[in-house]
Amino acid sequence: MKLLIMGPPGAGKGTQAKILAHKFNLVHLSTGDILRKEIDRNSEVGLKAQTYMNAGNLVPDEVLLEMMNSTLTELKDEGVILDGFPRTIPQADGLSKIFQSLNQDIDAIINIEVDKDVLIRRLVERAKNSGRADDTEEVIKNRQNVYLELTAPLIEFYHGNIINVDGDGSIDKVTERILKRIP
Ligand code: AMP
């Protein structure tokens, strides 16, 4: 099974992705986590990504596409849940091509919807103990704007194939809503 989970920063997609990965025995591919590990390792990709990430901007598409092409090819026989990728239309186009070349398809696209005020409140709360360099109020606001400008258009791009889920409520409640809708 190939799942894709989307939603604005703070929607809880990482938390839900972990739960779904566990439940369906999927590899959880969080591009944010992968990039943070690359930064810790001081790798070439990490060095390229760091300044973009610290400012709350997106890392260039070609960096992500190359990274995900090799990862998805390596994991072609595994179930995966993609969390945080694609984040732009060119990335979504690239992802279609990657799956085409592997003779595969996305089984379900989950979009977690949460009100903007709730998102900012959650992110500011998370920032208190996350230790993430991109969890300052200014950067949080920038990440919301980047989401609206570059990532939200994916909802239209995937229109018709997307499962919209209300992300307001407890973690268990949101999981329950998702599970009801997965084919
Ligand atoms: P996240 O952990 O999903 O909130 O991602 C943290 C940061 O990693 C983002 O603000 C971006 O700078 C970078 N990032 C993660 N995924 C992507 C992606 N698909 N495209 C570009 N940048 C990304």
Side-chain angles (χ1 to χ4, degrees):
M1 174 156 52
K2 310 285 178 188
L3 291 184
L4 204 156
I5 191 158
M6 303 190 347
K13 60 182 166 18
T15 305
Q16 296 299 331
K18 276 193 201 104
I19 295 170
L20 296 173
H22 187 71
K23 185 158 182 66
F24 295 111
N25 201 17
L26 309 171
V27 180
H28 174 206
L29 289 176
S30 152
T31 43
D33 286 349
I34 298 172
L35 290 168
R36 280 184 286 276
K37 276 189 201 127
E38 295 291 337
I39 291 174
D40 289 344
R41 288 176 45 225
N42 270 322
S43 71
E44 204 180 314
V45 169
L47 289 174
K48 276 188 203 156
Q50 192 163 29
T51 28
Y52 296 100
M53 287 178 74
N54 286 350
N57 291 322
L58 294 186
V59 177
D61 289 336
E62 54 281 11
V63 176
L64 266 295
L65 281 167
E66 205 179 307
M67 187 173 99
M68 294 313 281
N69 188 16
S70 53
T71 307
L72 289 170
T73 306
E74 239 169 68
L75 294 174
K76 69 177 184 333
D77 299 325
E78 309 270 346
V80 297
I81 180 159
L82 293 177
D83 160 15
F85 178 85
R87 253 178 159 103
T88 64
I89 302 275
Q91 289 183 18
D93 276 329
L95 180 63
S96 303
K97 291 196 183 102
I98 296 170
F99 277 139
Q100 245 168 39
S101 74
L102 297 171
N103 232 339
Q104 293 176 336
D105 222 338
I106 303 170
D107 294 285
I109 304 169
I110 302 147
N111 180 42
I112 307 186
E113 300 176 305
V114 183
D115 198 64
K116 195 173 169 219
D117 294 341
V118 178
L119 293 173
I120 307 250
R121 215 181 316 133
R122 279 190 192 173
L123 285 168
V124 169
E125 202 49 44
R126 183 180 82 181
K128 288 183 187 156
N129 24 34
S130 79
R132 277 174 53 160
D134 61 350
D135 263 349
T136 64
E137 194 169 339
E138 192 192 352
V139 175
I140 286 169
K141 287 195 176 133
N142 188 40
R143 279 170 33 224
Q144 296 296 337
N145 291 336
V146 167
Y147 168 80
L148 287 177
E149 190 186 334
L150 297 170
T151 309
L154 290 179
I155 296 169
E156 187 57 34
F157 180 92
Y158 286 125
H159 184 74
N161 296 310
I162 220 162
I163 299 169
N164 286 310
V165 175
D166 176 5
D168 199 6
S170 69
I171 293 173
D172 287 350
K173 186 81 212 160
V174 177
T175 308
E176 194 187 306
R177 288 182 195 135
I178 295 174
L179 290 177
K180 268 194 203 143
R181 306 279 310 279
I182 290 188

